[in-house]
Amino acid sequence: MTLVKRRTAVIAAGLAAVLSFTTACGSSGPTGGGGATAWSLTGGDEQTFRTSFDSAGIEAQYFGNDAYKQKIRTAIGAGEAPTLVFSWSGGLLQSWVDSGKIMDLSQEAANDPAFVNRFLPSVARTGVLDGKTYAVPNNGMQPVVLFYNKELFDQIGAQPPKTWDDLMALVPRFNAAGIAPFSMGGQSKWPQLMWEEYLVDRLGGPEVFNAVAENKPGAWSDPAIIQANTMIQQLVDAGGFVHGFNSIATDSNADTALLFTGKAAMYLMGSWAFPTIKQADPEFITGGKLGWTSFPTVTGGKGDPANIVGNPANYWSVSATASDEQKQAALRYLREDLMNDTYVDSLLAGGSVPPLTGIEDKIARTEDPEYLTSIYEMASGAPNFQLSWDQALSPGQADTLLTNLEQLFLKQITPEQFSANMNATIGQ
Amino acid sequence: MSTVLQARDRAPARTPAPGRPRRRSGPSPLMAVPALAFFAVFAIVPLGGVAVLSFMEWDGIGDPSWTGLDNWALALADPATYHAIWLSVQVMVLSWLVQTPISLLLGVLIARRGRFRAVLGVLYFLPMLLSAAAIAIAFKALLDPNFGMSRAFGLDVLSQDWLGDPTLALYVVIFVIAWQFVPFHTLLYQGGVRQIPVSLYEAAQLDGAGPVRQFFHITLPQLRYTIITSSTLMTVGSLTYFDLVFVLTGGGPGDATRLLPLDMYLSGFSGNDMGRASTLAVLLVVAGLALSLGLSKLSSFRRGSQLEGA
């Protein structure tokens, strides 16, 4: 009898352990203590975030880029989102807004003009969806620029390309000198998207992509897209990209290393490559070997050559499922701690340019005034700052786009097949 | 000639070892309740959830909505699904063909006693200590055409676009998988070889059988159950190859290494199509169960006495 009792007790204890473990899993969300929480990315502007969160008393966690994108979605779906939600705006934010998980900040913006007005309009605009403000910029502008190695250009006696024809003419010259014309981290897929975005914009202007984003049937068959893809395959055929570019991943910075170690002459990449080089090989910058310019023009193209693509910035949104207390703390942070003087100085020192109006003087007093000024002018003067397509589109379309683009670069599909495959995703 | 075979027949391979106590007492079946509860909560319930989700449309955030058989119709009409299945089948078959002979021969080699073999064995099992992610990152660095081992050793032969060429990438993946798992299967075979009664070999030697005949007439038949165990683990396991491929190639270039588990993950967590992902998950479970049951049936596996390492 006692034996049976003891046995029952053991089983009960076992079950209790199982149940307490499961419930513990359910309640281990980031909310706790009533204070506001935030999730952000490691690397890049992490230090600026850390400092500002510490002084504002916000509890923050940091994740790698891909890990974050997957974790945040599950958290938002489960109602366990942090108070401050980090995003790229675009299609991802739109899907959260559609599910009612993100707070509408329009009232805040109306009450306090500086809430949004201090930002460059082209960058602030990306945080506005359906005419309502859902997100405000939280770090530097990230236009895609054409970096180049001045030393290698001197070696073959050439100038950086101003037009696509210049660019194509440079390819055989660099190859003949045993230098790869372009570095590229093809395994990460999105670096290939930068070529697509720029060429389509130069050829057809922003309207071409807008039609895609608006889900117009057959929008991917636009002649500008087909021509851009034909030009990409011509560049691949000519040997424009470094040997084995499809097995190079950008997360190891091997593509950036090809540029500053003198193996590749040019590198099309977001402005965040500058801080990476500054950290890996500071003498490459101080020695004046790093050059940068905007993407070449295309003869006969309809797009404005001053247009840029990339990430206008990253953004903060406020979770609609947070408690009132947390929401108030988060809004106070956005008004007072975000982009204050210390914050801006910290961004600039790290090689990032905050999307604020009237900071030219501040930029002139930094360590790298020349580079930071040209990024600021490029971004603030652009008639159109196109958000990266993989962020602007719905996640499902973006996944298909990146796979098809890689197959295009591999010449597994033709430009026409690319258009057909992508048209099938319209409306998804 | 038939002495060897007779010797095998006399060997007590299938009867229980003499002297083993036949008491029926032992731990009460109730002791299994916590384990069963864990299994139900963490395996059966999620499995049921996934099966239900495969009939719903869900982007991972909003409310799931019923769509009936839509996910199944879409997934089964999508060439991408068949491409993923075909890749998984290729990996399964080629992995088995590559790994089985290597681990079998290494297992036989290492099973003999000797200091040299012990050292070799210890060195050889090192890959088992590494996580798949670490292995993938290491191989990615080694195979880099610009900074990898081709550059380090100045060997241009190695400077292929290993992971970036769609025709090569799958074979590189199969190679790295083999590198990771051959030690484990070698261990299985080593255990199996050591269980073979030495008297069989002594009898064979007396009859004048050389090492090759001993291998084919004693070792290989005696290892039958080990081969089945190892093959089951290999084939069913190949349906779960994910972490290594995810880190090594991410399914690329293009969709050249987008195996079924990877397709499931990317559909769900990159493409936000949980319905399609759940459909693929159910397909994987069914395929895994069918394979494992089929292999057991084929071999009357459960009645065998050499259940080591299953």
Side-chain angles (χ1 to χ4, degrees):
Chain A
M1 196 63 190
T2 39
L3 190 69
V4 172
K5 260 185 187 163
R6 193 186 297 160
R7 211 176 260 169
T8 324
V10 168
I11 293 160
L15 274 177
V18 171
L19 291 176
S20 62
F21 185 61
T22 29
T23 44
C25 287
S27 65
S28 65
T31 50
T37 56
W39 289 356
S40 180
L41 299 193
T42 51
D45 301 312
E46 183 184 352
Q47 198 47 54
T48 305
F49 289 129
R50 277 186 185 278
T51 315
S52 71
F53 284 143
D54 284 349
S55 61
I58 290 177
E59 195 189 318
Q61 289 183 50
Y62 300 86
F63 303 91
N65 182 62
D66 288 348
Y68 171 78
K69 282 180 186 164
Q70 279 142 25
K71 193 173 167 64
I72 188 67
R73 187 165 190 88
T74 319
I76 288 183
E80 301 277 328
T83 322
L84 282 168
V85 182
F86 184 98
S87 82
W88 292 254
S89 192
L92 204 59
L93 183 63
Q94 182 77 58
S95 70
W96 301 339
V97 167
D98 289 344
S99 312
K101 305 286 187 181
I102 297 295
M103 191 180 160
D104 179 4
L105 302 175
S106 304
Q107 196 56 46
E108 287 295 319
N111 292 349
D112 176 9
F115 193 74
V116 168
N117 289 358
R118 55 186 166 156
F119 298 107
L120 290 169
S122 63
V123 178
R125 198 186 301 141
T126 305
V128 178
L129 302 171
D130 310 326
K132 293 175 188 160
T133 303
Y134 285 102
V136 288
N138 64 15
N139 62 359
M141 296 183 282
Q142 298 144 19
V144 172
V145 263
L146 184 58
F147 292 98
Y148 61 93
N149 184 327
K150 288 185 183 169
E151 220 173 26
L152 298 180
F153 273 84
D154 288 346
Q155 193 181 316
I156 67 158
Q159 291 298 312
K162 289 202 175 352
T163 68
W164 184 259
D165 296 334
D166 291 350
L167 184 149
M168 290 301 285
L170 281 170
V171 169
R173 293 180 63 192
F174 276 117
N175 277 328
I179 299 163
F182 284 98
S183 176
M184 153 90 89
Q187 200 191 69
S188 303
K189 296 185 180 168
W190 54 261
Q192 299 176 329
L193 187 58
M194 299 173 169
W195 289 89
E196 174 87 5
E197 289 162 351
Y198 260 130
L199 279 172
V200 170
D201 191 277
R202 292 285 185 270
L203 286 162
E207 295 76 23
V208 181
F209 180 72
N210 290 344
V212 168
E214 286 159 18
N215 282 320
K216 295 215 172 112
W220 286 99
S221 298
D222 193 287
I225 293 179
I226 292 181
Q227 199 190 336
N229 288 337
T230 311
M231 288 159 74
I232 284 174
Q233 293 196 328
Q234 282 166 353
L235 183 59
V236 173
D237 279 341
F241 298 104
V242 63
H243 170 63
F245 67 87
N246 263 313
S247 47
I248 301 173
T250 42
D251 52 12
S252 60
N253 290 327
D255 51 346
T256 321
L258 286 169
L259 179 77
F260 65 75
T261 55
K263 295 187 175 70
M266 292 173 275
Y267 180 44
L268 186 68
M269 189 40 71
S271 57
W272 59 83
F274 184 84
T276 306
I277 299 172
K278 195 173 163 173
Q279 220 165 27
D281 186 6
E283 281 162 29
F284 189 73
I285 293 171
T286 52
K289 294 177 195 165
L290 179 69
W292 57 88
T293 180
S294 46
F295 193 83
T297 60
V298 176
T299 319
K302 282 187 278 184
D304 191 320
N307 282 347
I308 46 174
V309 306
N311 299 323
N314 291 118
Y315 294 81
W316 282 133
S317 299
V318 179
S319 166
T321 50
S323 71
D324 284 343
E325 198 185 343
Q326 288 174 323
K327 283 180 189 166
Q328 287 314 314
L331 289 172
R332 196 175 331 115
Y333 173 81
L334 294 182
R335 274 195 305 268
E336 292 165 16
D337 300 279
L338 180 71
M339 298 287 173
N340 63 21
D341 280 350
T342 335
Y343 196 104
V344 171
D345 289 343
S346 164
L347 281 179
L348 286 168
S352 289
V353 190
L356 297 172
T357 50
I359 54 163
E360 289 87 346
D361 293 346
K362 251 184 187 304
I363 292 175
R365 291 194 300 271
T366 59
E367 234 175 274
D368 313 289
E370 207 188 335
Y371 171 76
L372 295 176
T373 303
S374 66
I375 294 297
Y376 185 73
E377 283 171 356
M378 198 184 274
S380 56
N384 186 57
F385 195 148
Q386 174 59 51
L387 173 64
S388 299
W389 292 2
D390 56 344
Q391 296 301 329
L393 293 173
S394 78
Q397 281 176 299
D399 189 40
T400 315
L401 169 63
L402 292 175
T403 304
N404 272 281
L405 195 63
E406 194 173 19
Q407 290 176 318
L408 184 91
F409 269 79
L410 288 165
K411 301 205 66 188
Q412 287 182 320
I413 55 173
T414 64
E416 288 74 18
Q417 281 169 315
F418 174 91
S419 296
N421 293 349
M422 289 313 298
N423 278 333
T425 70
I426 289 279
Q428 273 181 21
Chain B
M1 169 179 165
S2 61
T3 339
V4 173
L5 293 173
Q6 280 164 10
R8 193 199 64 182
D9 288 339
R10 279 201 303 273
R14 275 167 173 257
T15 48
R20 182 184 287 176
R22 287 180 147 273
R23 287 182 297 130
R24 284 195 57 196
S25 72
S28 151
L30 281 176
M31 299 290 271
V33 168
L36 285 177
F38 260 105
F39 187 67
V41 170
F42 291 106
I44 304 293
V45 171
L47 193 64
V50 165
V52 171
L53 263 185
S54 74
F55 299 105
M56 301 178 109
E57 189 186 323
W58 189 39
D59 64 359
I61 291 188
D63 297 322
S65 60
W66 284 101
T67 54
L69 289 169
D70 277 12
N71 286 325
W72 285 89
L74 279 173
L76 295 178
D78 190 349
T81 312
Y82 295 100
H83 178 71
I85 292 174
W86 171 232
L87 287 179
S88 282
V89 170
Q90 275 180 287
V91 169
M92 186 188 298
V93 173
L94 291 176
S95 289
W96 188 85
L97 286 177
V98 170
Q99 291 181 41
T100 301
I102 298 178
S103 14
L104 184 56
L105 290 174
L106 278 171
V108 170
L109 179 80
I110 292 173
R112 309 268 180 87
R113 314 281 162 180
R115 204 188 334 165
F116 160 71
R117 287 198 170 93
V119 172
L120 187 79
V122 170
L123 276 183
Y124 192 68
F125 292 126
L126 273 178
M128 286 179 67
L129 301 177
L130 302 173
S131 82
I135 292 174
I137 291 171
F139 269 96
K140 213 158 132 175
L142 286 172
L143 295 172
D144 186 303
N146 295 292
F147 296 102
M149 54 183 178
S150 60
R151 187 71 48 158
F153 302 126
L155 292 170
D156 275 351
V157 194
L158 293 176
S159 176
Q160 303 291 323
D161 192 4
W162 295 111
L163 295 168
D165 183 334
T167 51
L168 275 179
L170 188 70
Y171 301 109
V172 175
V173 164
I174 290 169
F175 171 82
V176 180
I177 287 174
W179 190 86
Q180 185 189 6
F181 287 106
V182 161
F184 171 74
H185 294 282
T186 303
L187 201 62
L188 279 186
Y189 284 115
Q190 182 204 37
V193 171
R194 286 196 174 158
Q195 281 199 333
I196 303 174
V198 184
S199 55
L200 296 185
Y201 292 101
E202 288 167 353
Q205 255 167 351
L206 283 179
D207 286 348
V212 175
R213 283 194 66 175
Q214 287 184 26
F215 176 78
F216 281 107
H217 287 100
I218 301 175
T219 313
L220 215 49
Q222 287 288 318
L223 284 178
R224 202 169 73 220
Y225 296 115
T226 314
I227 293 174
I228 289 158
T229 306
S230 160
S231 302
T232 309
L233 289 175
M234 248 180 230
T235 46
V236 178
S238 70
L239 288 176
T240 65
Y241 290 151
F242 167 76
D243 39 9
L244 189 113
V245 190
F246 183 63
V247 180
L248 201 58
T249 66
D255 56 2
T257 56
R258 196 166 162 141
L259 311 179
L260 200 52
L262 209 55
D263 194 29
M264 173 189 77
Y265 176 83
L266 293 175
S267 301
F269 292 95
S270 293
N272 290 344
D273 189 349
M274 292 292 171
R276 177 183 155 84
S278 304
T279 309
L280 297 178
V282 174
L283 275 180
L284 270 171
V285 170
V286 171
L289 275 178
L291 257 177
S292 132
L293 285 177
L295 277 168
S296 315
K297 273 271 152 53
L298 205 75
S299 60
S300 59
F301 179 47
R302 266 180 265 161
R303 275 179 291 140
S305 68
Q306 303 190 357
L307 273 165
E308 73 281 331

